[in-house]
Amino acid sequence: MTAPLRWRVARLVQRRVETPTAQTLVLEVPDWPGHLPGQHVDVRLTAEDGYQAARSYSLAAPVADGPGGARIELTVQRVPDGEVSPYLIDVYPEGEPVEVRGPVGGWFVWRPEEIAPVLLVGGGSGVVPLMAMVRARRAAGSRAPFRLLYSVRTPADVLYADELRRRARDDFGLDVAYVYTREAPEGWRGEPHRIGLADVNSHGWPPDLEPLCYVCGPTGFVETVADLLVGLGHQTRRVKTERFGPTG
């Protein structure tokens, strides 16, 4: 029987600015049980008057060792008028405690022992758990071929932009492609558009290779891509989805 998840006290040890509206928080968590790429955690804030607010955030990287315990990474996108994300991005100071519970989820995960081709399709901040898979692949020395198709509004909204450029160049067997929905970079071939059949067909794997497909993003995006993949002949059981609401 699986032990119930419990809240642990974590502390912020580092932050990285990813875009004007997103940051990666590195938290040190004593007694962290470990996690798989694709899992997430719950983060809980408690005000002085006892009011509590909790939100779920995908783990952005494999666990790392720190002097005070394991280190986990969460990439937080600021939600306008949100209760938690503005605090984590604009207020939360290094060294201060915050409660985390996890890891959560067992379906939307990639295990390094897998050898099948992998297609990752992310919309907006839905790329976060997919990036955890990309990083875990490299850390494990996996030779499973990966393709990442990343749909984003503008070039300024690309999370992990520098790292993705480097990995596309240096990580053998990793291909990265983009779809821009509002503004494309200078010299980009084609016009901004929502992800469609041609994108998934061109940048995905043929269904006869039986790839594992992971799709994460806003609800409408995920439903569209999942339907396209199934329509192209991919097995439903090999199309794994994770969604986070109507906007992203």
Side-chain angles (χ1 to χ4, degrees):
M1 184 175 181
T2 303
L5 296 175
R6 63 180 178 87
W7 291 100
R8 292 177 167 85
V9 176
R11 295 183 185 276
L12 179 67
V13 295
Q14 182 186 357
R15 67 170 68 239
R16 297 193 301 271
V17 175
E18 302 290 355
T19 72
T21 60
Q23 294 182 10
T24 292
L25 308 181
V26 182
L27 303 175
E28 201 161 74
V29 192
D31 195 29
W32 181 248
H35 61 267
L36 292 169
Q39 291 186 300
H40 63 274
V41 298
D42 299 323
V43 176
R44 183 169 69 182
L45 305 178
T46 303
E48 291 183 0
D49 62 3
Y51 175 76
Q52 294 183 322
R55 297 292 185 273
S56 295
Y57 293 100
S58 295
L59 291 149
V63 67
D65 292 328
R71 292 188 174 188
I72 63 174
E73 296 188 14
L74 311 177
T75 300
V76 178
Q77 181 84 45
R78 182 189 288 109
V79 176
D81 301 321
E83 287 187 303
V84 175
S85 62
Y87 174 83
L88 292 177
I89 289 178
D90 300 325
V91 180
Y92 181 38
E94 286 193 23
E96 285 296 303
V98 66
E99 292 181 289
V100 298
R101 181 175 63 184
V104 181
W107 165 249
F108 193 82
V109 297
W110 178 76
R111 292 174 169 81
E113 61 267 24
E114 292 280 0
I115 61 173
V118 173
L119 172 62
L120 310 172
V121 188
S125 59
V127 77
V128 176
L130 310 182
M131 192 64 178
M133 298 177 190
V134 169
R135 289 167 167 166
R137 172 187 181 271
R138 176 61 181 264
S142 169
R143 298 184 67 83
F146 268 41
R147 290 182 178 176
L148 169 63
L149 178 57
Y150 186 6
S151 175
V152 66
R153 291 173 179 172
T154 75
D157 296 311
V158 175
L159 295 173
Y160 321 117
D162 291 341
E163 183 179 353
L164 281 173
R165 278 193 292 269
R166 185 177 70 253
R167 289 187 178 277
R169 180 193 67 210
D170 298 338
D171 286 14
F172 178 78
L174 170 66
D175 294 318
V176 180
Y178 297 88
V179 172
Y180 297 96
T181 61
R182 294 190 180 178
E183 177 189 332
E186 186 176 352
W188 186 257
R189 296 178 62 183
E191 297 294 326
H193 63 278
R194 292 186 179 275
I195 196 166
L197 179 62
D199 303 301
V200 177
N201 196 32
S202 298
H203 301 294
W205 297 103
D208 57 356
L209 294 181
E210 298 187 354
L212 289 167
C213 304
Y214 297 87
V215 186
C216 185
T219 297
F221 172 89
V222 170
E223 291 175 349
T224 295
V225 174
D227 287 345
L228 290 172
L229 288 169
V230 173
L232 286 168
H234 291 272
Q235 301 174 35
T236 303
R237 64 182 178 84
R238 297 183 73 81
V239 178
K240 303 188 178 189
T241 62
E242 184 88 358
R243 60 202 74 197
F244 53 74
T247 60

